[in-house]
Amino acid sequence: MKKLTAFIMTAIIAVLACLSFASCAKTGGEALLKTVPVALSNEQYAFAVKKGDTEMKTSVNAFFKAKADEINAIFEKYTADGVDLTSFGDDTIKTSPTGAENELVVATNLDFAPFEYTNGNKIAGIDMEIAKLLADYLGKTLVVVNMEFDAVLTSLATKDEYDIGIAGLTITPDRAETVDFSDPYFGAAQYIVVKKDDTTFDGLDTAEKIEAKLKELTGSAAKCGGQKATTSQFYIEGNADFGFPGFSNLKFSGYKSAALAANDMLNGNLAFVVVDEATAKALVSSITN
C-alpha cells in the first residue's frame, strides 16, 4: 500500500460479509478464492458533503492534511498482511441522530469491509475510524447511520439530518451534480476474483487482455456478480459517467455485499466476482475451508 501523502491516499479497497463480518468470515484455513492480479480501472474516492457546504468541505480537506499520519496508520492497520478484521470495532458509536448541534451524522453502508462493516454489535472499518477521528477533530460526537449503498448520496442530498457521506464513494461528474466532494483520499481499482482452481484468466497480464477475454465469455462463464450499485456493477454493465463501455455479453447479479457474491460463486451460480482491490484481498484471506 502506498503511503498517504498530504490529503491524497493511493491504496487498496474494500469487502464484507453477510449481515456482519464476523458471521461469515473464516480465517486460518486454505483459501478457496484467488485474485486475478490485474487492475481493470482507476478511480478516486472522497467524502461527500451537502451541495454548497463549503465550511464542511474545507474542514474535511484541512483534516486530511492535519491528520495524514494518523489516517495512514489506520490504513496500515486494516490492510496489513494476515490482519484479522474481526478483531476491530467500536460498540460505543451512536447510530441514531438526535438533532443536537454537536453531532457529526454520517450516512454510510456497513457492507464494505475493510472500509465500513459491522463486527457483531461493533462498527468497524477504515472509513469509520477516520470518521471518528474527524468527529474528534471537529469537536463533535460521531453518529453513524447505516443504509443501502445507493441511498447514501440521496439521503445526504435530500435530508437535513445527514452532514456527510462516507462509503467508499467514487468521484464522478454525475454524483457531483447533487453533492460536493472533498479532496480525494484513496485510489481504487476493480479486480476479478475467481475460484482458486479457475484458469480462465491465467496468463493474462494486462487490462486489455482481461477485457478481450471477458468479451469472449458465454453461457455460465459469462455470469458474474458483485455488490449492487457500486463501481463493480458499473464496470460490467457500462456507465458513461464512470467511463466504462461495459460488456453486453456478461450477466451481472448484484448482492448486498461482495462476500455474498463470492459465496454464491462458490455455490456454482457465478463464474467470477468483480470487486475493489482490498475487497478482493479480504475475500481471499477470509473465505477459507
Side-chain angles (χ1 to χ4, degrees):
M1 183 183 74
K2 296 182 180 179
K3 296 287 185 179
L4 171 71
T5 57
F7 48 81
I8 301 178
M9 277 186 265
T10 305
I12 39 182
I13 205 177
V15 68
L16 187 67
C18 306
L19 298 179
S20 71
F21 186 84
S23 68
C24 292
K26 298 179 182 179
T27 58
E30 182 180 355
L32 298 176
L33 308 173
K34 67 180 180 181
T35 301
V36 179
V38 177
L40 301 176
S41 65
N42 182 18
E43 305 115 42
Q44 289 187 315
Y45 281 64
F47 290 3
V49 302
K50 291 185 183 299
K51 197 71 177 173
D53 189 350
T54 56
E55 181 178 357
M56 178 62 75
K57 180 178 178 178
T58 299
S59 295
V60 172
N61 290 340
F63 161 76
F64 284 154
K65 293 179 181 179
K67 299 295 182 178
D69 289 342
E70 292 171 72
I71 294 171
N72 189 64
I74 292 171
F75 268 84
E76 291 182 340
K77 180 174 88 170
Y78 276 88
T79 59
D81 290 341
V83 65
D84 178 8
L85 295 181
T86 65
S87 65
F88 303 134
D90 186 341
D91 59 5
T92 68
I93 295 176
K94 295 182 178 181
T95 56
S96 298
T98 66
E101 289 292 329
N102 69 330
E103 291 179 341
L104 178 70
V105 184
V106 175
T108 193
N109 170 249
L110 294 173
D111 285 311
F112 200 49
F115 273 70
E116 36 266 325
Y117 63 98
T118 55
N119 179 19
N121 65 340
K122 298 178 180 180
I123 292 175
I126 294 167
D127 277 348
M128 296 299 94
E129 291 204 17
I130 295 175
K132 180 61 170 62
L133 196 63
L134 174 62
D136 292 343
Y137 176 82
L138 297 175
K140 294 180 178 290
T141 298
L142 177 64
V143 180
V144 172
V145 182
N146 183 35
M147 61 191 69
E148 293 295 320
F149 178 79
D150 53 2
V152 171
L153 292 183
T154 300
S155 297
L156 176 64
T158 62
K159 298 181 180 180
D160 291 339
E161 63 191 283
Y162 301 107
D163 299 308
I164 193 167
I166 305 176
L169 296 167
T170 299
I171 303 170
T172 70
D174 183 58
R175 289 174 172 174
E177 291 182 2
T178 57
V179 299
D180 286 338
F181 284 103
S182 69
D183 292 324
Y185 73 106
F186 187 80
Q190 297 303 302
Y191 279 74
I192 289 173
V193 173
V194 296
K195 295 178 184 178
K196 187 177 181 180
D197 59 355
D198 190 301
T199 61
T200 302
F201 303 99
D202 285 5
L204 305 180
D205 57 2
T206 67
E208 291 74 19
K209 291 178 181 178
I210 296 291
E211 289 166 357
K213 171 60 71 172
L214 290 174
K215 291 176 181 177
E216 297 174 357
L217 300 178
T218 59
S220 60
K223 294 180 179 180
C224 59
Q227 188 176 17
K228 63 181 180 180
T230 64
T231 309
S232 303
Q233 181 171 0
F234 301 143
Y235 175 78
I236 293 296
E237 295 184 344
N239 186 291
D241 198 44
F242 283 77
F244 297 145
F247 302 86
S248 60
N249 59 306
L250 300 181
K251 182 179 180 180
F252 183 92
S253 296
Y255 296 78
K256 181 178 176 63
S257 71
L260 286 175
N263 284 326
D264 212 22
M265 178 174 64
L266 290 171
N267 289 334
N269 297 317
L270 300 175
F272 62 93
V273 171
V274 182
V275 293
D276 294 320
E277 184 179 3
T279 311
K281 180 180 178 181
L283 284 173
V284 171
S285 65
S286 65
I287 299 181
T288 63
N289 60 12

